[in-house]
């Protein structure tokens, strides 16, 4: 995944408030998918009733581990301590006394799946638990796809929400934002259950600068659009999405 999205290392992990490391999300290195700092230079508060806080030590035993590296699945135990993967290895390799045990015999144990083409931009604000994704094993959502999305938003873009976007993304949720950073802050305050990365939508950046006029932008408008995308990435977006057929 990182080889296609190298700036993924800088995006905010909105579920836990930590910075995502620049490594394969399937790589076991004792720290799972999270590093030690938030990308915007400040540590976010973790949800007080987060899933990780209530699970001290868990041993998943007897499953077939498919780790995303491309090698065949292998039988192994997975030991989790707090929010970290402590070990993946043969049964009996680690002391699991005191750990909650889950029998995964006959089942596959895999890292969380990354949904790289999600339109959950509004759904995450409606219900941050997103059970329809969590129950399928999705733990990371990539949103802002196809050149359309909720941020940045001025009055013209917000009119677009009401006339079109809500029919695709669902009802417009409560919350007020104008920049990409504002939108990510609203998501963070909601306490969502999945990691989330955002693209600056090309169509929205264009609409933000020149409305819905069907013409080429002037050089000045093009420069303003570049500034909109640049600011969005500085505020936490991982890139820009396009949907040139829309």
């Amino acid at each position: 995944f990182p080889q296609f999205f190298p700036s993924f290392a800088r995006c905010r992990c909105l579920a836990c408030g930590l910075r995502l490391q620049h490594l394969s999300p399937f790589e076991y290195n004792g720290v799972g998918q999270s590093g030690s700092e938030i990308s915007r230079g400040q540590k976010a508060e973790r949800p007080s009733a987060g899933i990780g806080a209530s699970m001290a030590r868990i041993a998943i035993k007897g499953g077939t581990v498919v780790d995303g590296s491309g090698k065949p699945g292998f039988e192994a135990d997975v030991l989790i301590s707090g929010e970290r993967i402590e070990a993946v290895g043969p049964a009996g390799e680690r002391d699991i006394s005191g750990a909650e045990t889950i029998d995964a015999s006959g089942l596959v144990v895999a890292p969380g799946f990354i949904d790289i083409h999600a339109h959950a931009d509004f759904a995450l604000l409606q219900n941050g638990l997103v059970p329809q994704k969590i129950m399928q094993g999705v733990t990371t959502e990539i949103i802002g796809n196809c050149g359309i999305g909720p941020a940045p938003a001025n009055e013209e873009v917000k009119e677009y929400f009401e006339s079109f976007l809500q029919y695709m993304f669902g009802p417009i949720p409560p919350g007020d934002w104008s920049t990409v950073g504002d939108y990510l802050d609203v998501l963070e305050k909601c306490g969502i259950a999945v990691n989330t990365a955002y693209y600056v939508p090309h169509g929205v950046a264009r609409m933000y600068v020149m409305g819905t006029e069907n013409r080429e932008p002037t050089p000045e408008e093009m420069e303003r659009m570049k500034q909109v995308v640049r600011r969005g990435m500085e505020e936490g977006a991982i890139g820009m999405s396009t949907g040139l057929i829309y």
Side-chain angles (χ1 to χ4, degrees):
F1 189 80
Q3 63 265 37
F4 299 109
F5 301 100
S7 60
F8 190 62
R10 296 191 296 273
C11 76
R12 282 194 286 173
C13 170
L14 297 176
C16 65
L18 299 177
R19 177 178 175 178
L20 296 179
Q21 288 189 337
H22 190 171
L23 47 80
S24 166
F26 304 121
E27 181 177 344
Y28 296 112
N29 66 349
V31 297
Q33 296 181 32
S34 297
S36 60
E37 60 180 347
I38 192 168
S39 63
R40 290 169 70 185
Q42 58 185 22
K43 188 166 182 176
E45 293 295 323
R46 295 174 182 270
S48 58
I51 294 173
S54 63
M55 297 183 178
R57 210 156 182 253
I58 300 172
I60 305 174
K61 296 180 58 63
T64 299
V65 174
V66 178
D67 64 8
S69 66
K71 64 183 178 183
F74 55 96
E75 186 172 331
D77 292 349
V78 178
L79 181 61
I80 302 167
S81 294
E83 297 177 349
R84 295 171 178 250
I85 297 173
E86 182 178 317
V88 178
E93 188 175 69
R94 290 294 183 98
D95 178 18
I96 62 169
S97 57
E100 177 185 351
T101 301
I102 298 174
D103 183 6
S105 301
L107 302 174
V108 169
V109 181
F113 302 133
I114 300 169
D115 188 346
I116 65 171
H117 191 162
H119 285 292
D121 310 57
F122 285 173
L124 288 168
L125 297 177
Q126 296 285 3
N127 181 356
L129 294 178
V130 282
Q132 67 272 29
K133 293 298 183 74
I134 292 295
M135 295 299 289
Q136 297 184 74
V138 173
T139 57
T140 298
E141 295 265 42
I142 311 298
I143 57 176
N145 286 294
C146 299
I148 53 178
N154 54 17
E155 289 307 312
E156 187 144 16
V157 174
K158 291 177 181 178
E159 289 178 9
Y160 166 71
F161 291 172
E162 297 176 1
S163 64
F164 172 75
L165 204 59
Q166 66 172 324
Y167 299 104
M168 181 176 180
F169 286 5
I172 301 172
D176 185 31
W177 61 85
S178 59
T179 68
V180 170
D182 291 341
Y183 171 72
L184 296 180
D185 286 339
V186 171
L187 273 179
E188 199 163 26
K189 289 174 183 175
C190 284
I192 57 177
V194 289
N195 300 326
T196 302
Y198 186 75
Y199 286 124
V200 180
H202 162 263
V204 172
R206 176 184 170 96
M207 189 181 303
Y208 189 89
V209 171
M210 55 185 295
T212 56
E213 295 185 34
N214 186 16
R215 59 173 176 80
E216 292 188 5
T218 65
E220 293 77 14
E221 289 169 334
M222 179 64 75
E223 186 57 36
R224 287 179 59 201
M225 282 189 272
K226 292 178 182 179
Q227 291 173 4
V228 167
V229 174
R230 183 180 298 111
R231 178 178 178 181
M233 293 189 67
E234 289 172 350
E235 292 176 343
I238 62 172
M240 182 186 76
S241 72
T242 60
L244 301 182
I245 65 172
Y246 303 126

